[in-house]
Amino acid sequence: MSSETSDTLDQAMVRSSGLDTLLRDLTDRAVQEVPGAAACSITVRRAGRLLTLAGNDGLPSGLDQRQYENGSGPCVEAAETGVEQYAPDLAAESRWPAYTPYALAKGVRCVLAMPLAVEGETGAAINYYGLRPGALGGARDTARTFAARAGGAIDVALRIERRRQSAADVRTALLSRSVIDQAIGILMARERIDARDALERLRRASQHRNVKLRDLCDQLVAKVSAPASDGRK
């Protein structure tokens, strides 16, 4: 990969407003930079299952999903074993009998799947698809270089995303604590009880009504905060 390509990947990472945007940009660039690649996708394991997080417009629908459903295929093997998978001609391939007929029906003849080293993820791969037998054979070094560079960019983007999610979780927790404290204060004033008894009453009501404590408190605060009716129709 040229230094110019490396620069464009860095720029894409900086420009990206989120992981989805970055990954889509990377798959588009992979098709431009890797000779013989007609389509590209990125596989990452999340919540215990493999998902295609991005694919360019040339990626036939269901090409990755069929592999996940079967638990077998080049991108599944690359992500789960960390070993590069290359099928120069799917018409002569015997490793994935449940997958190859589907891929051939979609016009794919050549697949190159490369594992990605992504921190905090147990499996990831970048998958290149060719429309002619052997289309990717002469581009494997270029594909490896691109995969290494893409893996670094994805790693940074995932870390940023996790930090954003962590910050969002903290904000949610603080909001929940605030509304619970308000509800406790309302009960203390209304029932003339202390904070411990007020919280216990709220918890019992939450369990009895099968409503989350935060939602119950939110309802109580909203009811008390609502403007009183003046009785006029």
Side-chain angles (χ1 to χ4, degrees):
M1 182 182 298
S2 67
S3 59
E4 181 180 355
T5 302
S6 298
D7 289 343
T8 57
L9 289 179
D10 284 338
Q11 292 163 7
M13 186 169 61
V14 171
R15 287 198 312 270
S16 175
S17 58
L19 183 61
D20 292 342
T21 304
L22 170 65
L23 294 180
R24 180 57 182 270
D25 196 9
L26 289 179
T27 58
D28 287 342
R29 292 185 182 280
V31 172
Q32 296 171 11
E33 299 296 329
V34 178
C40 177
S41 67
I42 294 175
T43 295
V44 173
R45 182 180 299 281
R46 285 196 158 181
R49 64 192 184 103
L50 293 175
L51 299 170
T52 298
L53 293 188
N56 68 303
D57 288 335
L59 184 69
S61 176
L63 201 55
D64 290 347
Q65 186 60 36
R66 182 59 63 96
Q67 297 182 62
Y68 307 149
E69 292 170 356
N70 294 334
S72 175
C75 72
V76 171
E77 294 289 332
E80 293 190 341
T81 68
V83 177
E84 180 180 312
Q85 304 293 318
Y86 177 51
D89 187 0
L90 289 178
E93 183 58 63
S94 60
R95 283 176 289 177
W96 310 293
Y99 172 69
T100 51
Y102 181 84
L104 289 168
K106 292 292 184 178
V108 174
R109 291 293 299 272
C110 181
V111 181
L112 176 59
M114 296 186 165
L116 294 173
V118 178
E119 182 182 349
E121 304 295 339
T122 56
I126 185 167
N127 317 300
Y128 307 94
Y129 296 94
L131 304 182
R132 294 178 293 100
L136 297 164
R140 294 177 70 175
D141 286 342
T142 302
R144 289 188 192 105
T145 304
F146 191 96
R149 187 62 180 165
I154 293 167
D155 195 24
V156 172
L158 283 170
R159 274 187 271 134
I160 292 172
E161 185 185 54
R162 283 193 287 266
R163 287 173 189 159
R164 287 174 178 169
Q165 184 59 52
S166 177
D169 291 343
V170 169
R171 287 194 295 271
T172 299
L174 289 174
L175 288 173
S176 295
R177 184 69 256 175
S178 175
V179 76
I180 291 171
D181 286 343
Q182 290 179 61
I184 289 173
I186 291 169
L187 279 188
M188 289 174 65
R190 178 186 292 174
E191 306 293 334
R192 298 182 181 278
I193 56 179
D194 62 23
R196 179 179 298 178
D197 288 340
L199 179 58
E200 184 57 31
R201 287 195 185 188
L202 289 169
R203 284 175 173 163
R204 287 201 302 267
S206 170
Q207 294 171 358
H208 179 71
R209 300 181 190 181
N210 195 26
V211 177
K212 290 181 179 180
L213 178 62
R214 196 259 186 215
D215 293 340
L216 179 71
C217 293
D218 197 35
Q219 293 168 13
L220 176 59
V221 172
K223 183 178 180 180
V224 172
S225 302
S229 171
D230 62 7
R232 292 179 298 177
K233 294 183 178 179

